[in-house]
Amino acid sequence: MDKQILIDIVTKKMPFGKYAGHYLSDIPVSYLEWFNRKGFPPGKLGMQLSTLLEIKSNGLTEILSQLKREYRK
């Protein structure tokens, strides 16, 4: 996996919707599951959100915690 994808997940913000302005990594699993049922947005954002769902669903959030400390200023 490209590390830049994970860096983007902790540094980029949701551009629209209920969680607009929140960091992608801070979006709750319930919202990600909703996208999974309804369809992720096309392109890079959809890939980031689906990756985030996999991370959170598999208990790998510690990876994100480390990146948040390193890349969020």
Side-chain angles (χ1 to χ4, degrees):
M1 176 180 284
D2 182 6
K3 184 177 179 180
Q4 188 60 47
I5 294 168
L6 298 176
I7 294 169
D8 287 347
I9 287 172
V10 300
T11 60
K12 304 295 182 197
K13 294 186 177 184
M14 186 67 178
F16 64 86
K18 184 176 182 178
Y19 292 96
H22 289 77
Y23 287 106
L24 296 179
S25 60
D26 296 341
I27 294 173
V29 172
S30 59
Y31 195 58
L32 298 169
E33 289 171 339
W34 179 84
F35 268 119
N36 194 40
R37 288 189 303 275
K38 299 294 183 180
F40 287 103
K44 187 174 182 178
L45 179 61
M47 184 269 308
Q48 291 166 333
L49 294 174
S50 65
T51 301
L52 182 58
L53 177 60
E54 288 299 317
I55 290 168
K56 289 188 172 199
S57 297
N58 290 297
L60 301 172
T61 55
E62 184 57 34
I63 295 168
L64 299 178
S65 298
Q66 293 169 2
L67 290 171
K68 284 180 191 179
R69 288 190 296 273
E70 188 175 342
Y71 289 97
R72 281 192 196 169
K73 305 290 186 228

